[in-house]
Amino acid sequence: MSTNSLFGNYRIILASSSPRRRALIQQIGLNAEIIPSKFEENLPKSSFPTPADYVIATAKGKACEVFNENKDAVVIGADTVVVIDNKILEKPIDAECARTMLSELSGRVHHVVTGVCICYQDNKYTFHVDTEVHFTELSKDLIDWYVGTEEPMDKAGGYGIQAKGAILVERISGCYFNVVGLPVQKLYSELSKMLQS
């Protein structure tokens, strides 16, 4: 059982294999267990009215799958996508896909949307956070170099703002940590309401 200085003796689980989410959870002082969800992330995007609805449903699937085996815990699930022209960009499947994504984002504004689900006792609370990201103009050489680093391959939209991909981003409007993969201030705020009510 994990003891959390922020929330007493609640057992908290992060239902994610993402090293970035793990680092962010640790950064804010949550001593969470890491139990990656086995939920298959293959929900039909076209059946959801908005990207926010899609990421919330995926986050809920991840959290509930882990919660069903850990009913004594507070389980957090999250899902992040990049959205441009109302089209959802997830992780590129190969280098050519990453090049296409980065070319599409070049010199334009897109949104990073993270859905979060918190399962505790009989409660399943969900929310989403949307951050606006302005990309600089990307030359073919820069795109080729960046794809060659292999950094895009495990990241929604094909870039990581917290690493080499920082040079692609001109500015953002909203939560930086949301772009990394977890809106930590909003998560803390919602956990506080749920656990201290």
Side-chain angles (χ1 to χ4, degrees):
M1 177 173 291
S2 300
T3 302
N4 295 278
S5 57
L6 282 174
F7 298 110
N9 293 319
Y10 289 100
R11 181 184 176 214
I12 296 181
I13 295 172
L14 177 64
S16 175
S17 59
S18 166
R20 292 166 295 282
R21 289 194 183 110
R22 178 184 306 194
L24 288 173
I25 282 282
Q26 292 169 344
Q27 182 177 322
I28 64 168
L30 281 180
N31 184 23
E33 297 173 46
I34 308 298
I35 303 180
S37 177
K38 298 182 182 75
F39 178 76
E40 291 191 25
E41 298 180 48
N42 58 5
L43 297 175
K45 298 177 187 66
S46 60
S47 66
F48 294 92
T50 68
D53 293 314
Y54 170 74
V55 289
I56 285 171
T58 303
K60 190 173 182 180
K62 291 178 182 179
C64 290
E65 190 275 326
V66 172
F67 181 70
N68 287 339
E69 302 296 320
N70 297 275
K71 297 282 193 180
D72 63 324
V74 179
V75 178
I76 302 163
D79 189 54
T80 301
V81 295
V82 166
V83 181
I84 189 163
D85 298 330
N86 215 38
K87 180 171 73 174
I88 292 172
L89 304 181
E90 297 192 271
K91 297 172 186 174
I93 57 172
D94 55 29
E96 194 51 45
C97 180
R99 283 188 188 89
T100 300
M101 284 184 181
L102 292 166
S103 296
E104 193 169 358
L105 298 174
S106 175
R108 300 185 63 199
V109 177
H110 63 270
H111 291 260
V112 177
V113 185
T114 299
V116 177
C117 178
I118 305 168
C119 296
Y120 177 58
Q121 295 179 341
D122 295 328
N123 301 310
K124 291 175 181 62
Y125 182 74
T126 61
F127 64 88
H128 79 278
V129 172
D130 185 324
T131 302
E132 188 176 87
V133 181
H134 297 248
F135 253 36
T136 190
E137 293 282 350
L138 308 181
S139 67
K140 181 182 181 302
D141 287 347
L142 179 56
I143 290 173
D144 287 344
W145 169 81
Y146 186 57
V147 172
T149 69
E150 299 186 359
E151 185 175 283
M153 302 316 298
D154 67 338
K155 295 169 183 69
Y159 75 96
I161 194 173
Q162 74 286 353
K164 296 178 184 74
I167 66 173
L168 313 178
V169 178
E170 197 171 279
R171 66 185 186 277
I172 70 169
S173 178
C175 176
Y176 164 81
F177 299 104
N178 183 54
V179 184
V180 179
L182 196 65
V184 289
Q185 194 289 319
K186 178 73 170 172
L187 174 62
Y188 168 76
S189 175
E190 299 306 328
L191 276 170
S192 296
K193 287 181 203 169
M194 178 178 275
L195 300 180
Q196 295 172 1
S197 60

